Amino acid sequence: WVYEVRNVFNGELVDILTETVVEIGPRVRIAREGKKSGRLPDEIQGPWGKIIQDPHWTPPQVFIKAPPLWPEQLTSRWSGFYQTRYQVLGNTENDFYWDLGIQAKSWNRVKTIAGEFDTLYFVNTANNFQSDDWFRIASNRREIVWFSPEIGRWVVRESFGEYLWLGSAGWADSNLEDYLRWELISWK
């Protein structure tokens, strides 16, 4: 899969990302490389898209109990909630609380440069997860995903987040993470 990654705030092209399945077995390993950023950490999945190592967020996360990447039932109006803990890739000294809500919304036909796809539109929400940065006292993240079972991957994925620093006055004083949009430009 090849994705164009853009900053939604200003439309800037961040990178062209290529993701390639390099191992299939009890785990699926997906190698990732950006035209600008070079070799990136791998994505590792367990059965049925359970995410073991998620490199999409900064810093990359390794889950102690793997939550799903997409709805466990590919139907609209399906929802699930998962609580787990994660470690930061390369640092096994600490682990941190993570929760994930997944809510499937509807089936949509989506057109990208790579073609037209029937997709399941769903939203992932991680509210008040524990950050590895001890000065972050509250963190929230959202993903909006159009997942195509035909290609086993999303054709469009948007992610963004916000957080509070220790001593912040409240959410009006929050800090924003990058708002990124991945759009499929080719696949085989």
Side-chain angles (χ1 to χ4, degrees):
W1 304 280
V2 180
Y3 293 94
E4 183 178 82
V5 182
R6 292 199 173 270
N7 180 322
V8 175
F9 291 127
N10 61 17
E12 174 189 351
L13 178 64
V14 174
D15 210 341
I16 302 291
L17 183 65
T18 300
E19 298 182 325
T20 306
V21 176
V22 295
E23 181 183 324
I24 297 176
R27 294 182 175 196
V28 174
R29 187 165 58 93
I30 299 170
R32 304 169 63 247
E33 187 167 340
K35 276 193 174 180
K36 291 181 182 179
S37 50
R39 180 93 169 97
L40 298 164
D42 292 346
E43 176 181 305
I44 301 173
Q45 298 178 17
W48 187 243
K50 300 279 186 172
I51 188 71
I52 296 167
Q53 180 172 298
D54 189 350
H56 297 97
W57 296 106
T58 302
Q61 300 165 294
V62 178
F63 289 100
I64 292 170
K65 182 180 178 191
L69 271 172
W70 53 76
E72 292 186 87
Q73 297 175 18
L74 297 180
T75 61
S76 59
R77 297 182 187 84
W78 181 91
S79 65
F81 182 75
Y82 308 87
Q83 293 179 324
T84 187
R85 298 188 72 77
Y86 73 95
Q87 296 173 327
V88 171
L89 182 61
N91 181 359
T92 59
E93 292 180 23
N94 297 300
D95 58 71
F96 307 94
Y97 174 77
W98 179 264
D99 69 38
L100 176 68
I102 301 176
Q103 187 169 29
K105 302 286 189 177
S106 62
W107 283 94
N108 302 118
R109 186 98 175 136
V110 174
K111 184 176 182 175
T112 70
I113 295 169
E116 284 191 48
F117 304 90
D118 289 322
T119 64
L120 180 60
Y121 163 63
F122 65 92
V123 177
N124 288 339
T125 306
N127 284 328
N128 293 312
F129 67 90
Q130 189 178 15
S131 173
D132 67 310
D133 182 337
W134 298 103
F135 294 101
R136 283 174 66 157
I137 58 169
S139 299
N140 298 314
R141 288 182 174 154
R142 304 279 183 277
E143 289 183 305
I144 303 166
V145 183
W146 289 264
F147 176 79
S148 169
E150 175 187 354
I151 67 168
R153 202 79 170 154
W154 44 84
V155 295
V156 176
R157 179 181 187 179
E158 295 182 354
S159 64
F160 52 95
E162 67 178 333
Y163 58 93
L164 296 177
W165 285 117
L166 187 64
S168 294
W171 286 108
D173 192 27
S174 69
N175 297 288
L176 300 177
E177 293 182 333
D178 290 335
Y179 188 163
L180 299 176
R181 178 182 172 94
W182 289 263
E183 187 168 323
L184 187 69
I185 57 175
S186 69
W187 69 283
K188 335 181 191 183

